[in-house]
Amino acid sequence: MLTLVPALLLQPYADPSGAAWVCLLGYEAVSVVVLTLRRRVPATAFVVCFGALMVALVAGAAVEAKLSPLAFLPLAVLLHNMGGHCTSWKRTVLAVSGAAVLFAVGVWANRMTTDSAEFRGGLDVLAVLAPMPLAWVTGFVARTRQTLLAAAEQRAADAGRARALEAAQAARRERMRIAGEMHDVVAHSLTSLVMHAEVLRARGGELPDWARVQADGLAAAGRQSSGELRDLLRMLRDPADAIPLDPAPGLGALDALLDGHRAAGGTVEVWTNVVLDTLPSPVQMAGYRVIQEALVNARRHAPGAPVRLTLDQSADELRCEIVNGHGTQQGAAGAGVGLGLIRMRERVGALRGELETGPTDDDGFRVVATMPLENAGV
């Protein structure tokens, strides 16, 4: 619209004759078509428009009709388009050469078809066409800038991928280092612990009854810890292989966990109101880990204290409450590094649940985890 309408608005002031309007409208009809196709065939569109303009100018001059100077606007737009979208230098040179030939033919035809000096093309036509290469230059500069921007964006994307790859490789090296350290230090010590416990079990006939129970519990806990440590080391070495060798513990293994607590000298009273088949696996695993950590903390900080475990399932949540009383023996001084409660809070928070911890009035400790069941499996 901005290219074609100005010429129509100015034509009554340039030449209101019918012949001038016919030449202008015929030229603009061709311009509409070539402007529509300018992106697909930029060089061809320019040559066709230039030829149509020459025909309109020569035909108008032959009948002493003048076209509006703004009739050159479509040509400028097509030159800008050719500079921005025609990537072939061969086609560009051929298009400019064809336009030059058409210009020469148009000037010759104009000289042959009119005797009036006023309607013979000369310096006035050349003066209008002289700035036209600037339109091609602006299009070429715009295309060059877009190419440079695309290349810069590609380089930035490549650099980002390289940084991400380098970070992933560094993380993998660090995981391998940690896995190696854990294997050399923790795994060997744990294996030695299990071996000693098995030796005690093998000589159980020489031990009192309470010692045999302790040795059995120690061996079972050591074997479970060895299996979980083996899975952890395997996942550290290759995070893509994240499926553990053994099933993740859930509330179905609660009885074994409580037996281990009792074997270690603890006492626990259990009250449950749950249907395991209806509990999502993430909730069961988080509940198991919370209970496990709470029992370990009770044995560590309040040895001999009675523990009360309550599991209550409602329609939309699971509530785990573990309360231990005051210990009958002195707790381990400086036991733990304070990560147990943090890990419990992280596990429960990952399921959008809530964890409450704190001392009780009788110098005990209370842990309450509430985990919603909705969307817990997602």
Side-chain angles (χ1 to χ4, degrees):
M1 292 292 293
L2 293 177
T3 303
L4 301 176
V5 170
L8 299 176
L9 296 178
L10 188 60
Q11 186 60 43
Y13 302 96
D15 186 353
S17 64
W21 277 105
V22 170
C23 292
L24 179 62
L25 292 176
Y27 162 67
E28 292 212 340
V30 175
S31 298
V32 169
V33 176
V34 296
L35 285 172
T36 304
L37 301 176
R38 68 187 186 280
R39 297 288 179 88
R40 298 180 182 178
V41 284
T44 303
F46 165 70
V47 173
V48 172
C49 183
F50 192 90
L53 179 61
M54 290 297 101
V55 171
L57 290 174
V58 172
V63 294
E64 297 186 353
K66 243 179 217 183
L67 267 64
S68 166
L70 296 181
F72 287 82
L73 280 178
L75 189 63
V77 171
L78 290 169
L79 267 173
H80 176 85
N81 175 78
M82 187 171 67
H85 294 89
C86 186
T87 58
S88 172
W89 283 103
K90 180 179 179 180
R91 291 185 179 181
T92 300
V93 171
L94 288 176
V96 173
S97 301
V101 172
L102 289 174
F103 178 75
V105 172
V107 171
W108 176 81
N110 176 247
R111 298 282 179 175
M112 297 297 295
T113 56
T114 182
D115 296 329
S116 174
E118 182 181 356
F119 290 95
R120 284 187 178 180
L123 293 178
D124 55 342
V125 177
L126 185 61
V128 175
L129 292 177
M132 288 295 172
L134 291 177
W136 179 87
V137 170
T138 57
F140 177 77
V141 170
R143 175 164 60 90
T144 303
R145 181 173 180 274
Q146 291 175 357
T147 302
L148 292 175
L149 286 176
E153 291 176 355
Q154 183 63 39
R155 287 195 299 271
D158 293 341
R161 285 191 291 269
R163 287 194 298 270
L165 179 60
E166 183 179 354
Q169 292 174 345
R172 185 176 183 277
R173 289 194 296 269
E174 183 65 14
R175 287 195 305 270
M176 294 293 291
R177 187 189 68 80
I178 295 173
E181 293 291 337
M182 292 181 65
H183 179 271
D184 294 341
V185 178
V186 182
H188 289 169
S189 299
L190 191 57
T191 301
S192 177
L193 177 70
V194 174
M195 289 177 61
H196 287 301
E198 293 294 345
V199 170
L200 288 176
R201 292 183 65 198
R203 303 183 63 178
E206 304 175 17
L207 301 175
D209 293 340
W210 67 267
R212 284 198 298 271
V213 174
Q214 293 287 348
D216 291 340
L218 183 61
R223 286 193 298 271
Q224 180 182 358
S225 299
S226 296
E228 293 180 354
L229 181 60
R230 183 174 62 251
D231 295 340
L232 177 61
L233 293 178
R234 185 169 57 85
M235 288 185 284
L236 275 174
R237 292 189 180 98
D238 186 6
D241 190 12
I243 301 177
L245 297 176
D246 299 325
L251 294 179
L254 183 59
D255 291 339
L257 177 63
L258 297 178
D259 291 341
H261 176 73
R262 295 187 181 101
T267 59
V268 58
E269 177 185 352
V270 183
W271 185 88
T272 62
N273 178 31
V274 297
V275 180
L276 293 181
D277 294 340
T278 63
L279 291 178
S281 297
V283 172
Q284 291 201 41
M285 182 177 179
Y288 178 90
R289 292 302 188 190
V290 168
I291 297 171
Q292 182 185 45
E293 183 64 31
L295 293 177
V296 170
N297 287 340
R299 294 197 303 270
R300 179 184 298 157
H301 299 286
V307 179
R308 184 178 72 254
L309 168 62
T310 303
L311 287 175
D312 187 17
Q313 176 185 355
S314 63
D316 55 356
E317 67 180 18
L318 174 69
R319 184 175 184 272
C320 300
E321 181 179 11
I322 307 97
V323 182
N324 65 269
H326 181 69
T328 60
Q329 305 173 27
Q330 183 66 31
V337 294
L339 295 179
L341 295 179
I342 295 176
R343 288 295 296 135
M344 283 195 290
R345 197 173 302 279
E346 289 175 349
R347 288 184 182 277
V348 175
L351 299 176
R352 299 180 182 178
E354 296 180 359
L355 181 72
E356 298 178 11
T357 60
T360 61
D361 295 336
D362 58 350
D363 294 332
F365 201 79
R366 178 172 176 264
V367 176
V368 180
T370 306
M371 293 166 285
L373 305 182
E374 184 179 1
N375 298 327
V378 179

